[in-house]
Amino acid sequence: MAIIAVTNQKGGVGKTTTAVNLAACLAGMKARPNVLLIDLDPQGNATTGMGVDKHSIELGTVDLLLDDVSINEVIIELEENAIRLIGANGDLTGAEVLLTQREQGAFVLKEALAPVQSNFNFIIIDCPPSLNMLTLNALTAADHVLVPVQCEYYALEGLSALMQTIEEVKSTTNPELDILGILRTMYDGRNALALQVSENLQEHFGDKLLETMIPRNVRLAEAPGFGESIVKYDSSSKGAIAYNELAKEISRRSKRK
């Protein structure tokens, strides 16, 4: 069992795209693992990306974090593969302040997951694009961190703050947390800047840099509009092929930890 927080405080790097499609591809592997996808972003994009109307959610992540609600009450069963979802919407915004006011506010998600985590082979957490109390809950609950990075000029600058946060979490709330991998997204090998940033990432992170790279792909951009993962929307696309390769690499790496 592995709990993976997909996070980067920088927006527009393919974080939610990665969380949704990694979950779908893991669930579609031959071993048919059970996968839980948790939307921890008030924007609720992972929820809509899985075909669920975020505005019609009766119980979601906010109820799990703030109310005396069993985790089994908030889990949504999806028809697609073996995925379960805990959805989110704008109601989650207020959780940031309320969790900060709690004495053990960083441990709420970890404690909520405890009764069911053994039921899942993978739990994927889609974090908000900021290093706030919601992200801290994810990092405290997680075994691993997966960091999507777009190969652009400010990529390394944004990563330094995240690396510092991870070290702080390891020294306070979760000493077992580790970086499972740095994932290059929206990659275009014809772009000189992308090649340079990729080389810089290799120098800084070594074997933490994943072999799999997610290419720029129109079908990947289209899939969320239909409420589908890329493997359901277009299983033969370059994006689907790449995320299937990512699922295999993540599965291998998580077993080594």
Side-chain angles (χ1 to χ4, degrees):
M1 193 279 299
I3 303 176
I4 303 171
V6 183
T7 186
N8 190 330
Q9 81 277 15
K10 193 175 186 306
V13 297
K15 178 182 56 61
T16 298
T17 298
T18 294
V20 167
N21 291 303
L22 174 60
C25 290
L26 285 169
M29 295 177 73
K30 288 183 179 179
R32 304 294 290 174
N34 290 320
V35 178
L36 174 63
L37 174 62
I38 301 175
D39 193 344
L40 205 60
D41 187 344
Q43 295 178 84
N45 290 336
T47 301
T48 56
M50 294 307 300
V52 175
D53 181 0
K54 63 183 179 182
H55 301 294
S56 66
I57 297 173
E58 293 184 11
L59 294 172
T61 314
V62 65
D63 303 286
L64 182 66
L65 295 176
L66 299 182
D67 300 324
D68 188 17
V69 175
S70 162
I71 188 168
N72 288 309
E73 294 180 71
V74 302
I75 292 178
I76 301 170
E77 294 193 13
L78 302 176
E79 293 181 7
E80 183 176 333
N81 298 321
I83 300 178
R84 304 293 183 271
L85 170 72
I86 301 180
N89 54 33
D91 294 343
L92 188 57
T93 303
E96 162 71 13
V97 176
L98 294 173
L99 288 172
T100 303
Q101 295 171 349
R102 291 192 182 185
E103 185 174 348
Q104 295 290 313
F107 292 88
V108 175
L109 181 60
K110 181 181 179 70
E111 293 170 358
L113 289 176
V116 301
Q117 63 184 46
S118 61
N119 298 340
F120 297 97
N121 302 98
F122 294 95
I123 297 176
I124 309 297
I125 308 173
D126 183 34
C127 299
S130 58
L131 300 177
N132 59 18
M133 183 57 85
L134 293 172
T135 302
L136 179 57
N137 261 265
L139 296 177
T140 300
D143 304 308
H144 313 288
V145 183
L146 174 61
V147 186
V149 177
Q150 186 177 355
C151 291
E152 61 176 19
Y153 184 73
Y154 292 110
L156 290 173
E157 181 178 302
L159 277 178
S160 61
L162 177 58
M163 295 303 126
Q164 182 178 347
T165 298
I166 291 172
E167 288 304 313
E168 290 173 359
V169 169
K170 289 175 70 173
S171 66
T172 54
T173 63
N174 187 1
E176 302 302 317
L177 184 66
D178 76 87
I179 300 172
L180 189 60
I182 309 294
L183 174 67
R184 288 162 287 187
T185 61
M186 293 175 269
Y187 185 78
D188 184 351
R190 300 168 299 178
N191 185 306
L193 178 59
L195 290 170
Q196 181 61 54
V197 173
S198 182
E199 290 177 6
N200 291 342
L201 289 169
Q202 184 68 61
E203 291 174 9
H204 280 79
F205 296 102
D207 62 1
K208 290 296 184 183
L209 187 65
L210 294 167
E211 294 178 13
T212 306
M213 294 183 282
I214 308 301
R216 286 194 176 276
N217 183 243
V218 173
R219 305 301 270 174
L220 270 176
E222 292 173 346
F226 293 87
E228 296 178 348
S229 68
I230 188 59
V231 288
K232 185 175 182 180
Y233 181 67
D234 187 349
S235 61
S236 64
S237 66
K238 291 182 179 179
I241 293 169
Y243 273 111
N244 273 313
E245 287 302 312
L246 175 66
K248 295 174 186 176
E249 186 172 4
I250 290 298
S251 181
R252 290 193 303 268
R253 284 190 174 226
S254 64
K255 288 176 183 176
R256 294 202 301 260
K257 301 296 181 179

